[in-house]
Amino acid sequence: MRRRGFLLAAAGIGLTSACGSFTGTARRGRIAVDLAFAPTQGLSPYSDDGLLLSRLAVVDGLTRMDTEGVVHPALAEKWDRTSATTWEFTLRDARFQDGGRVTADAVEGALTRAGRAKTQPRVLSDIRLTARATGERTVRITTGTADPLLPARLANPSLAIFSPAAYGKDGGVDPVGTATGPFALTEVNGAVSATLDRFDGHWRGKAAARGLDVAFVADNNARANALRSGQIEVAEFVPAAQALVLGGRAREVATVRTTTLYLNTRSGPLADAGLRAAVRESIGTSALARSVYEGYATRGTGLLGPGFAWADGKQLPVTGRAKAAKPHGQELTLATYTNRAELPEVAAALQQQLRRAGFAVRLVVKDYARLESGALDGEYDAFLMSRSTALDTGDPVSYFASDFTSEGSFNISQLRDARVDSVVREAAGLEGAARHRAMLRAEAAILGTDAAVPIVHEQHLQGVGAGVRGVVLDPYERQFVGLETRA
């Protein structure tokens, strides 16, 4: 039963949005979209900004993943595995948004640059790959070790294929008009807005909408209210607290997402494993799932939630944890971001729980773009984050590798643990049921370090205006506006 007590009060919030410049205009087949997260790395596909490009249907990879996690052909029309470490991909006839043809040489160049990027794409954190053009339309991809997930890996937006003109001498990528997706970026206004026009030469045909007018709006209520007032057609991640007043415009989506408290294992008070154990023991999550998330979440039972049927209820016992130490007033800095409506409220509740346990806790709450670099550098003792555990490959091994191994590119916990490195590496080389069992061992090993405390397993709400069709409700969160989206 979802709590409804304060939902009606939400209806009184003012109806303003950063998308206001689109209000009252005849959009003539265009769609106005509010996204929750602004670009943090200049729309570089090698960062999380690649997801923005994917959700706005700007990019294609050699493959694509559907909402069931099934991999399909995209720029590659077929592929064959010729050895444990070698795959042959055959390209379809496709064009870049700047008019050039998608050739094997272009694909080789794009994947090579991704592998050499200054900011290593998370999807490559546990694998090394080499691409070579073997013909005008054939590409051979080899991996340093056997990688049964390579077709799924290549569907990641960080490995999208861009025109050779997109790549600068500094290794950067300019995605404006150089990708292959149904919509081409024509203008980017920093972290404020972007304009996209339909790319009529897309290999799957013309998109239903003529273009997209996008605003990046961190204020959760502003996005929901803009949708409710008709200022926009589509709003990303609307708050659970507005579900009732939005009615049918709030579409529920099952996810493979877990809200997790990452603890800094390298520096500060929580480098002490005993104090990390004290943090874990002081946190109760059942009430948070019922109250803050309005029932659109369940209590965190591990890093892998009920979205993985093979893991649900099958988690292994966690052993080797340190004994909880007395906090004695140790001061912690707990950070989270405003872009997801529930996180500041969850952080405030965790602050109270930790204070009752004997910690002194300072909260830092900002827009995600202002926190990410500090979190990655270990600036905070604890970082509350909503994280898709299958975002990179549709498989949790990539998530474990990027977030918890010694060389992981998204290791907010700063964890360096030889046992974790070993079990994650083992899982990466397995397939099927053996891979699942290894992932459960890896999950238990990570939890045994108390580098991360699962809080809740989430569902989320996407805002879709009345009369809008074809918005993609994707548990893997890579798709949102699609080829068939129309108002």
Side-chain angles (χ1 to χ4, degrees):
M1 187 74 177
R2 295 190 174 100
R3 182 169 61 93
R4 302 296 191 187
F6 62 89
L7 293 182
L8 293 178
I13 299 172
L15 303 179
T16 59
S17 167
C19 232
S21 59
F22 305 132
T23 305
T25 64
R27 287 190 278 267
R28 299 180 298 278
R30 298 181 66 83
I31 296 175
V33 182
D34 275 10
L35 295 184
F37 293 88
T40 61
Q41 301 292 330
L43 284 175
S44 167
Y46 306 143
S47 70
D48 275 346
D49 289 0
L51 288 169
L52 298 178
L53 299 175
S54 179
R55 288 170 183 157
L56 295 173
V58 173
V59 295
D60 293 314
L62 293 182
T63 60
R64 64 183 180 91
M65 183 179 290
D66 68 15
T67 58
E68 301 295 325
V70 177
V71 178
H72 299 274
L75 293 177
E77 62 184 7
K78 63 181 181 178
W79 55 87
D80 294 298
R81 190 178 189 179
T82 58
S83 76
T85 59
T86 306
W87 302 69
E88 302 282 348
F89 289 81
T90 301
L91 305 181
R92 70 173 70 250
D93 185 12
R95 291 194 174 273
F96 293 109
Q97 293 160 352
D98 62 8
R101 292 187 61 222
V102 178
T103 65
D105 285 338
V107 170
E108 175 186 326
L111 294 178
T112 299
R113 288 179 173 92
R116 295 174 179 172
K118 293 178 182 177
T119 301
Q120 183 76 36
R122 281 202 312 258
V123 71
L124 297 180
S125 63
D126 61 335
I127 199 72
R128 177 176 56 83
L129 63 81
T130 303
R132 291 287 181 266
T134 56
E136 188 177 4
R137 295 180 55 229
T138 55
V139 180
R140 177 178 298 136
I141 298 179
T142 58
T143 56
T145 56
D147 182 26
L149 292 181
L150 183 66
R153 192 181 300 275
L154 292 169
N156 188 284
S158 292
L159 301 182
I161 307 301
F162 292 87
S163 163
Y167 300 97
K169 293 181 180 179
D170 62 352
V173 185
D174 181 0
V176 177
T178 60
T180 64
F183 293 100
L185 281 164
T186 58
E187 184 179 355
V188 179
N189 182 20
V192 178
S193 63
T195 303
L196 299 87
D197 290 340
R198 181 172 62 199
F199 172 45
D200 290 346
H202 189 251
W203 54 272
R204 292 175 66 194
K206 293 182 181 180
R210 291 184 62 249
L212 310 175
D213 298 310
V214 179
F216 305 112
V217 183
D219 187 307
N220 302 286
N221 287 316
R223 293 195 305 276
N225 291 327
L227 176 72
R228 189 158 54 87
S229 67
Q231 290 178 290
I232 61 173
E233 281 77 46
V234 183
E236 187 180 43
F237 303 135
V238 296
Q242 292 226 36
L244 182 62
V245 292
L246 286 172
R249 288 167 291 191
R251 306 284 182 85
E252 187 173 344
V253 188
T255 75
V256 287
R257 177 173 288 278
T258 298
T259 292
T260 300
L261 186 65
Y262 290 78
L263 304 182
N264 188 337
T265 64
R266 185 181 66 187
S267 61
L270 299 184
D272 182 332
L275 288 177
R276 294 199 302 274
V279 168
R280 170 179 47 81
E281 290 189 359
S282 70
I283 290 174
T285 61
S286 296
L288 295 175
R290 291 192 304 269
S291 58
V292 177
Y293 288 88
E294 302 286 331
Y296 291 104
T298 57
R299 180 178 65 87
T301 56
L303 297 170
L304 305 177
F308 297 103
W310 53 266
D312 191 23
K314 301 180 180 67
Q315 278 84 1
L316 300 177
V318 178
T319 60
R321 280 173 163 160
K323 182 180 179 181
K326 295 289 186 182
H328 296 303
Q330 283 280 2
E331 182 174 342
L332 305 180
T333 299
L334 165 59
T336 196
Y337 45 97
T338 58
N339 309 69
R340 287 187 178 271
E342 294 77 22
L343 290 184
E345 190 174 349
V346 172
L350 295 180
Q351 180 187 40
Q352 294 304 313
Q353 292 179 0
L354 291 168
R355 282 177 172 172
R356 286 195 293 270
F359 290 99
V361 183
R362 180 176 72 94
L363 274 186
V364 176
V365 181
K366 299 179 182 178
D367 178 88
Y368 180 80
R370 299 172 60 195
L371 289 172
E372 183 184 65
S373 62
L376 291 172
D377 289 342
E379 185 175 324
Y380 310 110
D381 300 307
F383 191 77
L384 182 68
M385 184 175 190
S386 175
R387 177 80 161 94
S388 174
T389 57
L391 193 61
D392 297 325
T393 62
D395 175 275
V397 169
S398 180
Y399 153 66
F400 288 155
S402 67
D403 287 32
F404 299 110
T405 63
S406 298
E407 302 302 320
S409 60
F410 204 69
N411 191 347
I412 289 175
S413 292
Q414 317 296 315
L415 184 63
R416 305 288 188 273
D417 186 280
R419 179 166 178 259
V420 169
D421 291 349
S422 176
V423 293
V424 172
R425 188 164 49 248
E426 176 194 7
L430 299 173
E431 299 183 51
R435 187 181 183 91
H436 292 166
R437 289 192 295 271
M439 282 190 274
L440 292 173
R441 291 194 294 274
E443 178 189 39
I446 293 164
L447 292 175
T449 69
D450 283 324
V453 182
I455 305 299
V456 296
H457 305 302
E458 298 179 44
Q459 295 172 314
H460 64 232
L461 298 174
Q462 302 287 33
V464 180
V468 177
R469 300 289 182 269
V471 171
V472 186
L473 303 177
D474 182 9
Y476 294 90
E477 302 178 40
R478 295 183 181 186
Q479 303 176 75
F480 191 34
V481 177
L483 201 68
E484 302 298 326
T485 307
R486 67 189 73 205

